Amino acid sequence: AQSVSQHNHHVILSEAASLELGCNYSYGGTVNLFWYVQYPGQHLQLLLKYFSGDPLVKGIKGFEAEFIKSKFSFNLRKPSVQWSDTAEYFCAVGPGIPTFGRGTSLIVHP
Amino acid sequence: DSGVTQTPKHLITATGQRVTLRCSPRSGDLSVYWYQQSLDQGLQFLIQYYNGEERAKGNILERFSAQQFPDLHSELNLSSLELGDSALYFCASSVGAGFGYTFGSGTRLTVV
């Protein structure tokens, strides 16, 4: 079975700072990778996903993630964060029923 | 609005009681998944239904059960409730397990 680890539990940034959230997974086969975002009081929304092809995946709201197979990583990045990016971010890994990481809480100060 | 509807949004009940959470999937999605989100356990997969049939089970307690009806809505039944069952319960739907989920807004269950 697959497992996923998000090392950063809490991240605090100022607006315009660059963001990188770590996600590492453990699985020996072909993986499906996802990042979800949960804004305060709202449901989880899919930010981006990787199944195959270009390892650099672009998602909504200016987010991107890079799949590095040799490092078993799928880190989420954004070059310049905004206050509205304050949320909980979850990495998830398949195949099959995705396993979710514990989440990273991002707070962006205006 | 994600297209996945969960009711009720909030539920407060006493220990030992039984509650039913309801989920209507996004139009066209045949799969329904139930997750429990708590501070100490994170987002835990409970159970999946596909077109009325149970497809996968995760960390679901024996006190919990679910079903999916012919109109594809699903219900999660939680019985003999304990304080530790207090959590957010999310329903998600998809066309298939590998395609990403659409989540509902969740039901916040508080057991007192």
Side-chain angles (χ1 to χ4, degrees):
Chain A
Q2 65 266 27
S3 65
V4 59
S5 176
Q6 293 181 244
H7 305 296
N8 315 104
H9 298 295
H10 301 279
V11 174
I12 300 174
L13 296 173
S14 297
E15 273 193 323
S18 64
L19 170 72
E20 181 160 4
L21 301 182
C23 172
N24 286 93
Y25 66 90
S26 175
Y27 186 73
T30 301
V31 290
N32 300 326
L33 296 158
F34 309 85
W35 275 99
Y36 286 84
V37 61
Q38 186 178 25
Y39 298 105
Q42 295 189 26
H43 60 276
L44 281 82
Q45 301 173 44
L46 182 64
L47 269 180
L48 48 80
K49 60 188 176 186
Y50 172 82
F51 292 134
S52 63
D54 189 343
L56 185 61
V57 181
K58 294 196 183 297
I60 61 172
K61 307 186 185 212
F63 286 91
E64 66 178 29
E66 185 175 12
F67 170 51
I68 302 179
K69 189 175 181 180
S70 60
K71 295 185 178 180
F72 298 90
S73 70
F74 190 57
N75 292 353
L76 182 71
R77 300 194 294 246
K78 186 171 185 179
S80 177
V81 294
Q82 302 172 320
W83 173 79
S84 57
D85 292 324
T86 293
E88 191 91 11
Y89 292 82
F90 294 89
C91 180
V93 58
I97 307 292
T99 298
F100 282 77
R102 293 296 299 272
T104 296
S105 172
L106 171 66
I107 296 175
V108 180
H109 289 300
Chain B
D1 183 7
S2 67
V4 178
T5 304
Q6 286 190 250
T7 56
K9 292 193 182 303
H10 302 277
L11 200 49
I12 301 174
T13 190
T15 54
Q17 295 299 303
R18 181 178 188 275
V19 297
T20 297
L21 313 183
R22 182 188 169 102
C23 168
S24 293
R26 193 179 57 165
S27 178
D29 288 352
L30 299 179
S31 280
V32 169
Y33 309 80
W34 286 97
Y35 280 82
Q36 179 193 59
Q37 185 182 35
S38 61
L39 283 175
D40 55 340
Q41 295 291 326
L43 201 62
Q44 296 284 312
F45 167 67
L46 295 177
I47 196 164
Q48 177 205 0
Y49 276 82
Y50 177 83
N51 203 21
E53 293 188 0
E54 181 186 304
R55 275 294 175 93
K57 261 187 173 179
N59 300 320
I60 188 166
L61 300 171
E62 285 190 10
R63 300 183 284 109
F64 296 179
S65 65
Q67 53 186 326
Q68 187 179 28
F69 295 87
D71 67 352
L72 300 179
H73 92 270
S74 177
E75 293 181 355
L76 179 67
N77 301 297
L78 315 176
S79 61
S80 303
L81 285 167
E82 302 174 359
L83 295 177
D85 297 327
S86 296
L88 260 173
Y89 290 84
F90 283 106
C91 167
S93 72
S94 78
V95 296
F99 291 88
Y101 293 165
T102 300
F103 279 85
S105 298
T107 294
R108 182 171 293 281
L109 173 67
T110 303
V111 182
V112 297

